[in-house]
Amino acid sequence: MKKNQLIILMFLLIQLGTLKAQDENYNSFKLNWGMGNLMRQDMSFSDMIYTKWSPVNVQFEYNRSKKLEQQAYVQFGMFKPMIGEPYSYNSFYNGEEEAVPCNFLILDINYSLGKTILDNGKWKLALGGRSANRLNSSNYGFGPAEPYGYYYSFALDVWVNAKYQLSEKHRFVANLALPIFSYNARSPYLSTDAQYLWDNYSHNGLKAFGNYIKGGEIQSWGGSQSVDFDLSYYYTLNEKWDIGAKYSLALDFNQVPANFTQIENIIYLSVNLKF
Amino acid sequence: MKNLKYFFFAIAVLTFVSCKKTFFEPEPQNNPVEMFDNLWSTFNTDYPNFEQRGVNWQEQYDIYRPQVNNNTSDDELLDIFKQMLAALDDGHVSITVPNADQWYSNTIINDRIDNDLFDLELIKTKYMDDNYLESGYGGNTYGWIGNIGYYNIAWIQDNFLDIDDILNYFSNAEGLIVDMRHNGGGDFTWAFSEFGRFTNEKRFVFKSRTVNGSNPGDFTDWWKWDIEPSGTYFNKPIVMLTDRYTISAGERTVMAFNTLPNVTQMGDTTCGAIATVVGKVLPNGWYYTLVIQQTEFSNGVDYEGTGIPPQIYVQNTSEEMNNGVDAQLNAALEQFK
């Protein structure tokens, strides 16, 4: 229960910061679409490294910037890696079947709040915190067995936001986030156990989702490590619109209950509306 | 700008070139020796039922590992895998390769031994006179044989959500035959969560523990599974039929029925592949399945390997089946006279 209270307190503090920032008046809304590469090795499921490029990477981002920097974004990615190629086989129980790829879904919902600590016209640097919420939802394609995997992470990060105005029309923005601690819920060792079956006993997806989260634990750098970095370039078209590109790198390592390693590289094309 | 170039270069080097070796654990390579070692090692650490199956896994390694080298062909390697895993005779252990029948370690399933001794079509036509109902996408088939209700459960999934309707349908029956023969399993929690009308009190069915580490004896705590009353109690006599193809979640459901005082299990012993199964993949895209759990029925017996024996053995024969006679079903009907 104490874990849950701590998480609620964390979110309340961030929301207070949001209210305080309402008097700022510079906003932008970005739509990013990109090509991404995912590499994942989750030893709870397989010792193979699953790798796949995917064009299904979309990010909606809202920024509010003046004395306080705020950034909220929702990111969705889908990857369908497979060891080998799809093929048919005959099952005694189901007749002809198809061995299909895995399906990895990644949803990030993040909110960052920072205070500007340097602003000299060219450089603007903000330091603050980020509520980083990542939901990894996976179906592993193992032919006749297709286990479901989850890895839900709710983290409080240190967040650094840097902006560099190269010229009137060109600028760069970078973000770096490192977790202070995170509340993580993962599939059990070897992907299933009695607790997992009990979590699904109601056969209600929402209840199962809640049960998975209840089974999580607070971890710090001893058991879970992650780094999120992105670098964007923007070209100013006019007062309202920018276009640009963004490189995003997400490293995610976890050791409980088994080693999990995930590296995500995405290159986005961006459209930025300022208002 | 010059510094930014170096920065981009550093990121590229870090993420695209070196990250695989730096960050990931070594993965097995696509060659016969590494694939053999990977499969054998996975069973060695994750499969908890060698004792129940009477198999010395190290001996299997000593027999088959020398037969594998880097010149071993795919067909030869597959044959070695099959020979090694056949010793387990486990209905949950299988190998899947492209464009072929899935291979099962259990001889009865793999060789379809006595597969013709159960025929639902015969029961539909000869015993229920083509007057029957189906639900759950074919998971449930039920109808009347005289004053006795007949209910075939083909698998254990959300077809159990219809159990209330089916028991209402048989509210005037003198008794019920639950036919679990050839039940292909599924997810036993569907059966347990919907089992309430069959019992008038909470009953302990079985306990299970799952491998949770790579050292011998690394298990979760035992987890107890119960059934609990819910809805109008169905208190009629029940005869449950089983055969050698009743497997997995089907067997756990048999366990649940066997805790009831009004149930008689007839037919043949179940498959004896009860514990939870998981899938794995080899570097060449072949799949295999293995068991990661131990189970123990409420009477303290682990039926993994042996199967759950009926209280009354009755065997069908091919000759009788060809003549339209299901001797096991006939014997079940006799129980109500």
Side-chain angles (χ1 to χ4, degrees):
Chain A
M1 201 55 204
K2 276 184 178 175
K3 289 189 290 190
N4 294 338
Q5 286 168 350
L6 193 63
I7 289 163
I8 291 166
L9 183 65
M10 182 182 84
F11 279 102
L12 285 175
L13 286 172
I14 289 170
Q15 292 308 314
L16 281 174
T18 310
L19 290 173
K20 183 173 165 38
Q22 293 303 311
D23 59 346
E24 306 299 341
N25 59 3
Y26 190 79
N27 305 287
S28 68
F29 181 78
K30 294 186 182 74
L31 173 62
N32 302 318
W33 167 81
M35 193 73 181
N37 176 268
L38 183 86
M39 301 172 76
R40 179 192 292 180
Q41 184 184 45
D42 186 345
M43 301 298 279
S44 289
F45 290 84
S46 174
D47 43 16
M48 300 303 294
I49 301 168
Y50 282 88
T51 305
K52 189 71 178 178
W53 284 91
S54 169
V56 186
N57 294 283
V58 185
Q59 200 177 65
F60 301 96
E61 184 178 328
Y62 168 76
N63 286 270
R64 185 177 175 90
S65 172
K66 212 173 181 186
K67 284 182 184 172
L68 289 175
E69 290 289 333
Q70 293 183 77
Q71 184 186 77
Y73 71 81
V74 176
Q75 178 182 331
F76 174 76
M78 181 169 71
F79 298 86
K80 290 178 176 286
M82 186 171 194
I83 305 298
E85 298 294 325
Y87 61 78
S88 299
Y89 63 94
N90 293 310
S91 158
F92 169 69
Y93 298 101
N94 304 315
E96 185 167 328
E97 294 262 46
E98 187 85 9
V100 296
C102 304
N103 190 13
F104 296 165
L105 304 179
I106 299 168
L107 179 68
D108 286 301
I109 304 172
N110 295 345
Y111 174 76
S112 309
L113 176 68
K115 185 169 171 51
T116 302
I117 56 170
L118 171 71
D119 188 353
N120 65 8
K122 277 219 172 253
W123 283 97
K124 192 173 180 184
L125 190 67
L127 183 65
R130 185 175 80 158
S131 163
N133 310 289
R134 163 161 284 205
L135 308 177
N136 281 302
S137 175
S138 309
N139 282 100
Y140 281 82
F142 291 147
E146 295 183 354
Y148 173 74
Y150 63 90
Y151 178 10
Y152 306 144
S153 179
F154 308 94
L156 180 63
D157 293 356
V158 172
W159 177 61
V160 181
N161 172 260
K163 295 174 181 170
Y164 179 69
Q165 192 73 43
L166 187 63
S167 66
E168 192 180 336
K169 286 190 174 291
H170 305 277
R171 66 190 166 89
F172 292 92
V173 180
N175 292 284
L176 177 68
L178 302 168
I180 302 166
F181 66 87
S182 54
Y183 180 84
N184 296 327
R186 276 185 63 193
S187 292
Y189 188 84
L190 299 182
S191 76
T192 186
D193 60 10
Q195 178 67 59
Y196 174 77
L197 295 169
W198 182 251
D199 287 345
N200 283 281
Y201 199 82
S202 66
H203 305 110
N204 176 313
L206 204 57
K207 279 186 185 172
F209 177 72
N211 289 337
Y212 297 157
I213 291 174
K214 272 187 207 166
E217 60 181 272
I218 290 180
Q219 296 176 328
S220 191
W221 280 74
S224 179
Q225 310 82 35
S226 70
V227 179
D228 280 0
F229 171 78
D230 63 69
L231 178 64
S232 305
Y233 162 76
Y234 293 103
Y235 176 78
T236 302
L237 293 174
N238 54 42
E239 279 189 3
K240 284 275 184 192
W241 294 95
D242 296 336
I243 56 170
K246 176 177 180 177
Y247 166 72
S248 167
L249 168 69
L251 303 175
D252 196 349
F253 310 104
N254 190 281
Q255 289 81 46
V256 181
N259 285 354
F260 173 97
T261 304
Q262 181 167 285
I263 300 175
E264 196 182 353
N265 287 280
I266 307 174
I267 296 171
Y268 292 103
L269 297 175
S270 306
V271 178
N272 185 28
L273 170 67
K274 295 170 284 188
F275 58 98
Chain B
M1 280 301 280
K2 197 176 175 183
N3 289 341
L4 283 173
K5 277 184 200 169
Y6 288 128
F7 189 63
F8 275 122
F9 179 72
I11 289 171
V13 169
L14 178 68
T15 58
F16 287 106
V17 180
S18 64
C19 60
K20 207 165 181 177
K21 283 186 179 173
T22 306
F23 296 125
F24 293 93
E25 294 191 30
E27 61 178 344
Q29 298 302 300
N30 187 1
N31 66 62
V33 172
E34 289 215 22
M35 285 198 290
F36 179 93
D37 287 345
N38 183 253
L39 182 136
W40 185 89
S41 299
T42 302
F43 273 84
N44 193 45
T45 54
D46 299 348
Y47 187 87
N49 295 321
F50 292 119
E51 195 178 320
Q52 290 86 335
R53 300 277 172 185
V55 173
N56 182 323
W57 196 236
Q58 183 60 48
E59 276 181 11
Q60 296 298 102
Y61 183 88
D62 294 339
I63 294 167
Y64 293 105
R65 176 62 183 83
Q67 300 178 29
V68 181
N69 58 54
N70 281 333
N71 295 320
T72 304
S73 70
D74 278 356
D75 287 344
E76 289 167 340
L77 184 65
L78 181 60
D79 196 45
I80 289 166
F81 282 166
K82 286 177 180 177
Q83 289 179 54
M84 182 169 72
L85 296 175
L88 298 170
D89 196 24
D90 187 334
H92 272 147
V93 171
S94 70
I95 302 176
T96 305
V97 302
N99 307 313
D101 289 341
Q102 188 179 353
W103 176 86
Y104 302 90
S105 162
N106 178 258
T107 309
I108 290 174
I109 297 173
N110 195 61
D111 296 343
R112 315 296 196 254
I113 295 169
D114 291 341
N115 188 29
D116 60 338
L117 300 187
F118 170 73
D119 184 0
L120 184 58
E121 290 306 312
L122 171 69
I123 297 165
K124 287 177 181 175
T125 55
K126 293 279 177 70
Y127 285 83
M128 295 193 288
D129 296 326
D130 287 323
N131 187 15
Y132 60 88
L133 297 168
E134 287 182 325
S135 69
Y137 304 100
N140 305 316
T141 303
Y142 56 103
W144 292 94
I145 304 176
N147 296 324
I148 308 300
Y150 171 84
Y151 174 29
N152 174 266
I153 308 173
W155 55 75
I156 312 295
Q157 283 295 343
D158 56 359
N159 50 316
F160 259 84
L161 293 174
D162 296 331
I163 201 81
D164 197 41
D165 291 340
I166 293 168
L167 295 184
N168 285 340
Y169 183 75
F170 291 129
S171 59
N172 296 321
E174 289 180 14
L176 180 66
I177 294 170
V178 175
D179 196 346
M180 297 287 291
R181 291 176 296 176
H182 273 57
N183 184 293
D187 177 353
F188 77 94
T189 61
W190 283 104
F192 278 45
S193 66
E194 307 305 317
F195 212 77
R197 286 197 60 186
F198 284 115
T199 185
N200 58 350
E201 60 182 71
K202 182 177 176 178
R203 297 176 192 277
F204 165 52
V205 179
F206 74 94
K207 61 182 182 178
S208 64
R209 61 178 188 173
T210 313
V211 172
N212 70 350
S214 58
N215 296 313
D218 281 346
F219 286 103
T220 62
D221 292 336
W222 286 104
W223 186 288
K224 289 187 170 183
W225 294 94
D226 303 312
I227 49 171
E228 294 191 36
S230 173
T232 307
Y233 176 43
F234 187 83
N235 60 352
K236 299 174 190 301
I238 295 172
V239 173
M240 174 177 58
L241 292 172
T242 56
D243 68 7
R244 296 298 296 176
Y245 287 84
T246 309
I247 190 172
S248 192
E251 293 181 278
R252 298 196 198 204
T253 306
V254 167
M255 285 177 171
F257 275 114
N258 276 343
T259 64
L260 306 177
N262 55 328
V263 170
T264 304
Q265 183 186 346
M266 295 181 68
D268 205 346
T269 306
T270 63
C271 181
I274 300 163
T276 292
V277 62
V278 297
K280 296 283 181 182
V281 63
L282 289 164
N284 64 350
W286 293 356
Y287 299 102
Y288 63 97
T289 54
L290 77 159
V291 166
I292 57 167
Q293 195 184 58
Q294 292 179 336
T295 60
E296 197 176 288
F297 186 47
S298 56
N299 63 4
V301 176
D302 180 353
Y303 289 111
E304 190 77 20
T306 60
I308 305 165
Q311 289 156 270
I312 302 171
Y313 274 97
V314 184
Q315 295 278 11
N316 280 351
T317 65
S318 296
E319 189 180 355
E320 287 171 328
M321 291 297 289
N322 290 336
N323 291 325
V325 175
D326 185 335
Q328 291 172 330
L329 182 55
N330 287 347
L333 289 165
E334 283 293 317
Q335 290 292 309
F336 296 101
K337 289 181 180 172

